[in-house]
Amino acid sequence: MRMKLAFLVATALVATPSYLLAQEKGGVINVATIGEPPTLDPMTSTADLVGIVTQHIFETLYTFDKKWAVTPLLAESLPDVSADGKTYTIKLRTGIKFHDGSDMTSEDVVASLNRWVKLASRGKQAGAFILSIAAGDPATVVIKLKQPYAPLASLLAFNNSAAIIIPAEKQADTMTDFIGTGPYMLKERKADQYIQLVRFNDYKPRSGDSDGYGGARHQYLDEIRFVPVPDANTRVEAAVSGQYDYVDSLPVESYDKLKSSTATQPLVLKPFGYPVFVFNTAAGLTKNVAMRKAIRQALSMEDMMAAAFGGTDFYAPDGNIYPRNFAWSTNAGVAGNYNIADPEGAATTAKKAGYNGEPIRILTSRQYEFHYKMAQVAAEYLKLAGFTVDLQVVDWATLTQRRTDKALWDIYISHSPFLPEPALIGSLSPSSPGWWDTPERKSVVDAFTTEVDPKKRIELWANVQQAMYDEVPFMKIGDFNAVSAISTKLKGVDPAPWPYFWNASIKK
C-alpha cells in the first residue's frame, strides 16, 4: 500500500478531469521542444526529447498507467511468468498494423527485441539475463532467462532506450524507415525546423479508458508538429504570446509571467525529478574515484539548486535518490557525502589523488537553462578548490552525441524524472555513458534485480544507493519541479514527465 501511495503522490500522472471532457476531432498543434532530437530511433538514445517525440510513432509491448504500474500496450496482457521466474510468455494483440500496412506478428516482436538487446543500453542491461527470445506462435513470444530478473517488464515498458516494435525487415542498426504502430506516423522532418506527425488511420487503440500512458490512445488531432526552440527565453516569450500550443521545459522564474497570460497557462509537475552530474568513470581525470570524491566534496548542491530554480517552491536539497514519499527512499550513503561545499578540503583531497592542474571538461547545454546555471555555480566552487575548469556549452543534440565518446568529457549534466523502477536509472547499466562497471556495482545491482520479493527489493535498493555514494558514478543535486506551458485551447493533456498528445484536442 505504501508503494502504491508513493506513486500516486509522487508522480504527475494522476488523472485529471481534462481527458473526460467531450473532445472535438481535427486540427493541428505545434509543440515547442528544447531542441532537435539527435535521432528518431528511441532504441539507440536515452535522451528524453527522443522519447517525447517518438512515443507517438512507435509502441512497446508494455507501458505505465497513471499509478506507474506496468500495463499492456501491444501485448494482450501482462506476461505469464513461470514459477521459477525464468520464463515470460507474452500474448500479443492481433490485428495491429504497422504504418506500412503490414500486420504485426511475433516474428516482428522477436526481431525487435533482439535488436533492442543488441543496440539499446537498457536492452543490453536486460540482455545479460536473457537466454533466448523466440516465437511460440504468430501471437506469442517466449523470453527465457538465465535467472529471475525483476525489472524486465518495466524495461520493456520504458520509452527511453525503448524496446519498440518495428517490422522484422526494418531491423538495420541505423534506422532509415521510421515505421511503427503508433497513433501518429512520421510525414516529414526538416532539420531544425519541425517534425511533422500525422494521424495513422489504421491505428487500433486498446479498449477502455485512457490510463496514464496506458489504456486507449485517441487520435483527435490531425497533426502534431514538434518545433525545436533551443533558447529558453524564446520559449517563454512564445508561450506567453500563444505562439505554440504546448511549450516544454521552461525556467521556473517564468511561472508568474505565464500565469498572467491570456493565451497560455503554466503546467507544473511536482515533484518532477532530479538533476545529475554524471562522471566518466572509464577514461580521463574522473576515472579515478578519489578525484570524483574530491569534486563532490567541493560542491554546494544547495547553491546550485538555488541558482537553477530560485525559490524553494521549486526545489529541495535532498541526497536520497528517491524523495521520502517513495517506498524506495533511503538515507544510505548520504551522510557526509552530500552538499559538503568544502572547496578547501577538496583541494587537499584532489592533491592526494594526484591532481596536477588538468582541466575538468564539463558538458552542458543552455537548452535546459537550469543545467547551465548549475554548471556555472559548480565551476566557481571547483575553481576555489584549485581545479581548472573547461565548461563546454553545446546544444543538447551535440551533448548526447559527445557523451558517447569516452575521450571527450569528464562530467555531463543531465536530469531524470523519478522512475517507477530504480533499475531504469541509466547509470546502473555499464553500457550507459559514464560506464560504471565495477565488481561492487555488479554485486549490488545483480542482487537487487534478481530478487522478486518487493519488500526485500526495497532493502536491497539501499545497498545500491550506498554503492553509488561509495563509487560516485554520478551525483544527485536535489529534487525539482518542472514547468511547461499549455494553450488555453488545448484539452486532454495531463501533466506527465514525457508529455504525450494522443487524447489531446483543440477547443473550437
Side-chain angles (χ1 to χ4, degrees), residues 3 8 15 97 99 104 118 159 178 180 185 284 341 379 397 428 458 460:
M3 176 74 79
L8 280 169
K97 288 191 175 293
H99 297 159
M104 183 193 78
K118 176 185 176 184
N159 74 346
F178 301 91
M185 56 186 182
L428 297 189
I458 289 172
L460 291 168

Side-chain angles (χ1 to χ4, degrees), residues 64-86:
F64 295 103
D65 66 18
K66 65 191 176 192
K67 298 179 182 178
W68 285 110
V70 174
T71 190
L73 184 54
L74 290 176
E76 182 62 41
S77 55
L78 291 174
D80 179 19
V81 184
S82 62
D84 64 2
K86 295 182 182 179

Side-chain angles (χ1 to χ4, degrees), residues 42-57:
M43 272 197 199
T44 61
S45 177
T46 58
D48 285 342
L49 177 57
V50 174
I52 289 169
V53 175
T54 61
Q55 65 187 338
H56 299 81
I57 304 170

Side-chain angles (χ1 to χ4, degrees), residues 189-479:
R189 179 182 187 181
K190 287 196 172 182
D192 299 316
Q193 294 185 50
Y194 61 80
I195 296 168
Q196 180 186 20
L197 309 184
V198 295
R199 183 191 293 114
F200 175 41
N201 290 325
D202 289 332
Y203 180 68
K204 184 179 180 181
R206 294 192 70 90
S207 58
D209 295 330
S210 301
D211 186 4
Y213 292 95
R217 295 182 170 185
H218 300 294
Q219 304 164 281
Y220 299 116
L221 299 169
D222 295 330
E223 184 180 314
I224 306 168
R225 286 195 179 210
F226 293 93
V227 182
V229 185
D231 183 74
N233 292 326
T234 303
R235 289 200 302 279
V236 171
E237 295 305 319
V240 171
S241 68
Q243 182 179 351
Y244 297 99
D245 300 283
Y246 188 96
V247 183
D248 194 31
S249 190
L250 295 172
V252 295
E253 57 267 27
S254 68
Y255 180 80
D256 289 338
K257 191 171 186 178
L258 293 168
K259 283 198 73 173
S260 67
S261 170
T262 58
T264 305
Q265 286 296 292
L267 199 64
V268 179
L269 289 77
K270 181 178 181 177
F272 173 82
Y274 56 100
V276 290
F277 282 29
V278 180
F279 286 106
N280 182 347
T281 70
L285 185 68
T286 55
K287 183 177 181 179
N288 183 345
V289 66
M291 199 67 69
R292 301 198 296 270
K293 289 182 177 180
I295 292 169
R296 181 177 66 188
Q297 184 178 356
L299 298 177
S300 168
M301 309 306 186
E302 189 160 11
D303 283 358
M304 286 191 284
M305 294 295 285
F309 300 106
T312 52
D313 286 345
F314 293 99
Y315 79 89
D318 185 5
N320 298 348
I321 302 301
Y322 283 89
R324 287 168 177 78
N325 52 351
F326 273 83
W328 300 112
S329 185
T330 173
N331 293 320
V334 176
N337 292 317
Y338 175 76
N339 197 32
I340 307 170
D342 179 17
E344 186 176 329
T348 301
T349 304
K351 186 175 181 180
K352 290 180 180 178
Y355 182 65
N356 195 32
E358 303 93 331
I360 300 173
R361 298 163 298 172
I362 302 176
L363 276 177
T364 191
S365 172
R366 296 201 70 165
Q367 285 163 260
Y368 292 109
E369 186 69 10
F370 67 97
H371 291 189
Y372 175 67
K373 290 178 178 178
M374 288 188 299
Q376 289 181 303
V377 174
E380 294 308 310
Y381 271 94
L382 291 172
K383 289 173 186 175
L384 288 174
F387 288 103
T388 302
V389 178
D390 177 11
L391 189 60
Q392 300 180 10
V393 184
V394 297
D395 64 84
W396 187 246
T398 299
L399 186 149
T400 61
Q401 291 166 353
R402 284 192 188 178
R403 70 184 180 185
T404 63
D405 189 332
K406 296 179 176 69
L408 296 182
W409 60 278
D410 300 302
I411 297 171
Y412 79 82
I413 300 176
S414 186
H415 66 271
S416 172
F418 296 113
L419 302 171
E421 161 59 60
L424 298 174
I425 295 172
S427 291
L428 297 189
S429 171
S431 64
S432 181
W435 305 284
W436 183 33
D437 191 10
T438 66
E440 177 67 8
R441 183 214 67 84
K442 181 171 174 54
S443 174
V444 296
V445 172
D446 284 1
F448 172 66
T449 57
T450 56
E451 178 56 64
V452 295
D453 183 289
K455 290 183 180 179
K456 291 180 181 177
R457 294 191 78 225
I458 289 172
E459 296 171 3
L460 291 168
W461 168 247
N463 297 337
V464 179
Q465 182 170 296
Q466 181 69 56
M468 290 177 175
Y469 273 98
D470 289 344
E471 299 196 339
V472 207
F474 70 82
M475 299 180 298
K476 178 188 175 184
I477 310 304
D479 302 338

